[in-house]
Amino acid sequence: MFELPGKIALAPMAGVTDRAFREICMEFGADCCTTEMVSAKAVEQGNKKTDEYARLSEKEQPAAIQIFGDDPKAMAYCAKNLMRFSPWAIDINMGCPAPKIAASGGGANLMRQPKLCGEIVAAVSGAVSVPVTVKIRKGWDETSVNAVEIAKICEENGAAAITVHGRTRAQMYSGQADYGIIRQVKEAVSIPVIGNGDVKDPQSAQRLFDETGCDMIMVGRAAQGNPWIFRELSAYFGARPYAPPGPAERMAVMREHIARMCAYKGEPLGMKEARKHFAWYLRGLRSAAAFRREAVLMSALSDLDRLIEKVLAENPEE
Ligand SMILES: Cc1cc2nc3c(=O)[nH]c(=O)nc-3n(C[C@H](O)[C@H](O)[C@H](O)COP(=O)(O)O)c2cc1C
């Protein structure tokens, strides 16, 4: 049977898990990662901008490339085309709740068309020789919970593993993830199941494993501004001690993360996108709100360095 590369995965997050952030999370102990979602239609149309979402580096392997769309042929073409970036796997997005993606027919909207889900998985699996995984939600809404049905269809059509985020599309990111549905999927299929939703520390990670029997857990929002969560989780599961980072380490890792964003995207775009990461990295530090306001004006790495000096002056190591 197909084996997952470990116990802890970084979730795909559009606008967050770019190459720089994936590399940092892998260096802190994530066992695999997934790119931001890539539009099958854009790849089919030869849009070169999408290459930047799919480009992978050695430092982040095993990395899956996630694709979205609703046309089996376009999805298969896209997956095949992206093999030039040497992904470890291709992941199919059947969970994105964003109205723009759902309106295009892709993402969570696919869960309302079980037959089409099967056709897409079959087409993509037939087009590439790497494992094809699928990421689904609990269902579209509480009146149409069908994660088990969709997971079985994916398995029958060649999926190597399935990730289940225990929320409906209607819930978006609110409420609590339902671990019961993840357990039901795990009991219904024989391919590995990756559980997802609300992991934020070792206790919640342990609960997700215990309550669902899943083979791997996937961490999303809790990694924002906190790539150390992977060090913390791998220390916990490896029975090793863990010490949270102090302000100096937090700022040094943030500096490295943002420097890589600038290196990969160019400084103007890198610095613009870095503002939200800056805000996340500052959570819990003294005068964070004031520094966040100043960060809006950052446009070069030298601005960031000046701000980091001020942050560290206000937040000495304890
Ligand atoms: C900002 C943001 C962007 C996301 N983008 C994607 C995406 O591109 N593809 C996807 O499958 N899921 C996406 N997700 C969903 C996450 O992968 C994950 O399923 C969800 O956040 C629940 O996990 P968590 O509770 O650990 O955050 C996104 C979530 C967030 C918060």
Side-chain angles (χ1 to χ4, degrees), residues 163-174:
T163 302
V164 188
H165 175 199
R167 284 187 177 82
T168 62
R169 189 271 174 187
Q171 281 178 292
M172 308 289 275
Y173 297 99
S174 67

Side-chain angles (χ1 to χ4, degrees), residues 249-292:
E249 187 182 5
R250 282 167 70 166
M251 292 301 103
V253 171
M254 178 184 75
R255 170 70 169 74
E256 176 64 23
H257 175 179
I258 295 176
R260 289 192 205 184
M261 289 176 75
C262 292
Y264 300 151
K265 303 176 189 216
E267 202 165 353
L269 181 60
M271 288 310 298
K272 192 165 165 240
E273 291 186 0
R275 289 174 198 157
K276 63 177 172 240
H277 292 285
F278 180 86
W280 288 327
Y281 277 106
L282 251 66
R283 264 192 307 235
L285 292 185
R286 215 166 292 141
S287 306
F291 290 127
R292 268 186 218 121

Side-chain angles (χ1 to χ4, degrees), residues 19 25 40 50 67 71 169 192 276 280:
R19 178 154 54 124
C25 289
T50 57
I67 61 174
D71 173 13
R169 189 271 174 187
K276 63 177 172 240
W280 288 327

Side-chain angles (χ1 to χ4, degrees), residues 4-28:
L4 293 167
K7 291 276 172 216
I8 310 159
L10 168 66
M13 286 181 284
V16 181
T17 56
D18 58 5
R19 178 154 54 124
F21 189 58
R22 295 193 304 268
E23 285 180 2
I24 301 273
C25 289
M26 293 299 279
E27 285 162 19
F28 274 109

Side-chain angles (χ1 to χ4, degrees), residues 48-271:
K48 285 282 156 222
K49 257 167 71 183
T50 57
D51 279 7
E52 290 320 307
Y53 292 115
R55 198 178 303 284
L56 303 174
S57 75
E58 284 292 309
K59 292 183 189 144
E60 53 171 311
Q61 291 288 359
I65 300 179
Q66 190 185 64
I67 61 174
F68 76 93
D70 66 346
D71 173 13
K73 263 205 198 126
M75 294 286 273
Y77 174 87
C78 171
K80 204 167 178 175
N81 181 287
L82 296 176
M83 285 302 114
R84 64 202 150 100
F85 296 116
S86 306
W88 157 73
I90 290 287
D91 188 53
I92 301 175
N93 183 324
M94 293 191 186
C96 182
K100 205 171 97 186
I101 306 297
S104 76
N109 195 49
L110 290 175
M111 293 190 70
R112 299 205 279 189
Q113 303 161 82
K115 190 165 157 276
L116 182 57
C117 291
E119 288 165 8
I120 289 175
V121 177
V124 175
S125 303
V128 297
S129 52
V130 299
V132 172
T133 58
V134 186
K135 185 159 175 283
I136 65 173
R137 281 190 172 235
K138 178 178 177 178
W140 180 260
D141 60 20
E142 284 301 329
T143 65
S144 57
V145 171
N146 64 350
V148 170
E149 178 194 2
I150 299 293
K152 280 185 174 164
I153 289 173
C154 292
E155 178 178 37
E156 279 157 19
N157 284 281
I162 190 134
T163 302
V164 188
H165 175 199
R167 284 187 177 82
T168 62
R169 189 271 174 187
Q171 281 178 292
M172 308 289 275
Y173 297 99
S174 67
Q176 255 200 321
D178 174 3
Y179 289 176
I181 192 74
I182 303 175
R183 166 164 284 283
Q184 286 177 38
V185 170
K186 174 66 191 162
E187 284 168 357
V189 298
S190 40
I191 52 176
V193 171
I194 302 158
N196 172 235
D198 300 342
V199 170
K200 57 181 192 327
D201 52 26
Q203 291 66 40
S204 46
Q206 186 69 60
R207 191 170 73 80
L208 179 51
F209 275 123
D210 291 348
E211 291 185 12
T212 68
C214 68
D215 303 278
M216 186 180 218
I217 57 167
M218 178 178 272
V219 182
R221 290 163 297 172
Q224 294 172 347
N226 181 29
W228 300 274
I229 186 143
F230 296 105
R231 185 165 79 188
E232 185 178 11
L233 294 177
S234 54
Y236 172 80
F237 289 113
R240 294 187 305 273
Y242 169 74
E249 187 182 5
R250 282 167 70 166
M251 292 301 103
V253 171
M254 178 184 75
R255 170 70 169 74
E256 176 64 23
H257 175 179
I258 295 176
R260 289 192 205 184
M261 289 176 75
C262 292
Y264 300 151
K265 303 176 189 216
E267 202 165 353
L269 181 60
M271 288 310 298

